[in-house]
Amino acid sequence: DHFEAHFTLEEENMERTQFADLEEHQAEHDAMRERYAEIADEANLAEVTAFFEEELPAWFVDHVATLDVVTAEHVANWPG
């Protein structure tokens, strides 16, 4: 699953570089993981479609523009 791989890689990088806001960032990932699992379990085509066409893209744009930008800057500047 693509976003699970993305979340895992990001979390590993945050741990490796001792990112101060790891818990907050990971909580955002965990909330989306839970939402995705909820949607997948329901198997309601309309809800799954809305999730992938509306909810996930909107969440992702906000997440990238806020948390991911800060995380990427931190990882890029990590001296190790």
Side-chain angles (χ1 to χ4, degrees), residues 3-78:
F3 72 78
E4 179 59 38
H6 171 81
F7 290 168
T8 300
L9 177 62
E10 224 176 57
E11 290 164 1
E12 289 170 354
N13 283 327
M14 288 187 284
E15 287 178 21
R16 178 180 56 79
T17 62
Q18 302 171 2
F19 184 59
D21 293 327
L22 168 63
E23 288 182 17
E24 176 189 351
H25 197 140
Q26 194 167 25
E28 288 271 329
H29 289 174
D30 289 344
M32 184 49 69
R33 286 178 173 115
E34 289 175 20
R35 179 67 178 136
Y36 176 71
E38 185 180 289
I39 293 293
D41 286 346
E42 296 210 6
N44 175 316
L45 183 59
E47 195 169 349
V48 170
T49 300
F51 174 77
F52 281 106
E53 289 182 351
E54 299 167 22
E55 185 177 344
L56 181 60
W59 177 88
F60 194 73
V61 166
D62 181 62
H63 183 80
V64 168
T66 57
L67 294 173
D68 280 355
V69 167
V70 173
T71 303
E73 184 176 319
H74 168 80
V75 171
N77 292 319
W78 181 253

